[in-house]
Amino acid sequence: MSHKRRILFAFFIALVFVVAVFVSFAVNLLFRKTPSVVLPDLSDTHTTTQPGQDDNPDSNVGYLPVDVTPETVQAVIRTLSRPDSYTREMTVDLHWSAEQSARTTITVWQDGGYTRVQSVPPTGLTQYNLTDGTQLYRWYAGSSSYVTLPLEDERSIDLVQRIPTYEDILSLPMESIMAAGYEVKQEVPCIYVAVADGTTETRYWVSLQSGLLAGVERMENSQLTYVLEAYTAPITPCPVNASFKLPNGTELHTVAR
């Protein structure tokens, strides 16, 4: 074989190899299943199966198990979705010392972009807050009048509920996140996040079942100062008899039947 023919033959072999690699890559890209993020089911705390896997080794094809770390926890929380229509109850405890604390019981109704919050503090004087997403209406039990306040942004209604804003968890600087992972808290499977800011440490639990913030504990100088508990599953959708009415009788919203 002449030198020229050997060069042409080598070039032909290399060309066939390149085409084969390209075709293989293209077929894999076009026809493979798109990987999906699978969050673990923590209802069985004794399971050793990895997220997205079971006894069949082929069952996790196309799925990406999620490993929650301080670097990934915010991205994982973003995959959760909060219900648009629900009602739930929570308690908020403020601690002044190991022996002194005060509890506020809060009930929330949400539907169609409207949110109503009933807060019962230790004094027993119930406060109501109702918002349509732009205005906040506030009044107290027994009153037929109310005040109207501007709602600065969607996080304001979280503050009305006396809970840390959900979005604040997502906007935390990564360097402030000390720990993250999965944890069963009061029988609720949650994503756990621990945050430090100076002498303040805050621990969050986000329910995997509802996507809602289910628990918060805050420590100031190693002293417990704040506890939020909302581990009872919310009722979804919001009951049709839920009231989104102002104290003067004006109906701002009616839950669809």
Side-chain angles (χ1 to χ4, degrees):
M1 182 181 292
S2 66
H3 178 69
K4 182 177 181 180
R5 287 184 177 180
R6 286 198 298 270
I7 294 176
L8 290 175
F9 182 75
F11 175 77
F12 175 76
I13 294 298
L15 180 62
V16 170
F17 177 77
V18 170
V19 170
V21 171
F22 175 78
V23 170
S24 176
F25 174 78
V27 170
N28 185 55
L29 180 65
L30 291 174
F31 296 101
R32 72 178 181 178
K33 293 172 64 178
T34 301
S36 302
V37 172
V38 178
L39 298 176
D41 180 2
L42 300 186
S43 57
D44 181 2
T45 57
H46 300 291
T47 182
T48 58
T49 304
Q50 293 298 315
Q53 295 181 327
D54 57 25
D55 294 336
N56 182 355
D58 296 326
S59 65
N60 66 331
V61 174
Y63 296 91
L64 296 178
V66 180
D67 184 20
V68 175
T69 66
E71 292 75 25
T72 65
V73 64
Q74 290 166 312
V76 173
I77 290 177
R78 287 190 180 94
T79 68
L80 302 178
S81 59
R82 289 184 282 180
D84 295 325
S85 178
Y86 66 90
T87 181
R88 70 167 178 164
E89 294 185 354
M90 64 186 77
T91 59
V92 171
D93 293 322
L94 300 180
H95 295 260
W96 293 282
S97 68
E99 297 79 23
Q100 293 181 310
S101 65
R103 167 167 292 188
T104 297
T105 302
I106 300 171
T107 306
V108 181
W109 297 265
Q110 182 163 306
D111 182 75
Y114 289 79
T115 304
R116 183 172 186 258
V117 181
Q118 173 186 288
S119 303
V120 184
T123 61
L125 182 57
T126 302
Q127 182 188 89
Y128 296 94
N129 289 275
L130 176 58
T131 178
D132 57 4
T134 58
Q135 297 289 329
L136 179 68
Y137 307 91
R138 175 174 295 166
W139 69 96
Y140 290 89
S143 175
S144 60
S145 60
Y146 59 89
V147 296
T148 304
L149 306 169
L151 198 65
E152 296 181 3
D153 54 44
E154 61 182 7
R155 294 178 295 178
S156 298
I157 195 59
D158 285 334
L159 296 176
V160 167
Q161 299 174 48
R162 296 192 181 183
I163 69 175
T165 64
Y166 192 95
E167 287 71 16
D168 280 351
I169 302 176
L170 301 179
S171 62
L172 288 169
M174 188 177 298
E175 58 271 17
S176 69
I177 301 177
M178 302 184 300
Y182 294 111
E183 182 176 320
V184 176
K185 182 73 168 177
Q186 295 195 22
E187 301 184 355
V188 178
C190 296
I191 294 175
Y192 166 75
V193 189
V195 179
D197 182 11
T199 60
T200 302
E201 296 182 11
T202 307
R203 296 184 289 269
Y204 303 92
W205 288 268
V206 180
S207 169
L208 285 171
Q209 297 171 335
S210 67
L212 295 168
L213 190 62
V216 181
E217 294 178 2
R218 180 171 296 132
M219 308 280 288
E220 301 277 356
N221 295 310
S222 300
Q223 171 66 45
L224 184 66
T225 59
Y226 174 96
V227 177
L228 162 74
E229 291 188 341
Y231 296 104
T232 301
I235 298 173
T236 57
C238 185
V240 295
N241 61 352
S243 173
F244 293 88
K245 184 185 299 184
L246 295 174
N248 64 359
T250 303
E251 191 83 54
L252 295 186
H253 174 69
T254 302
V255 180
R257 297 183 181 274

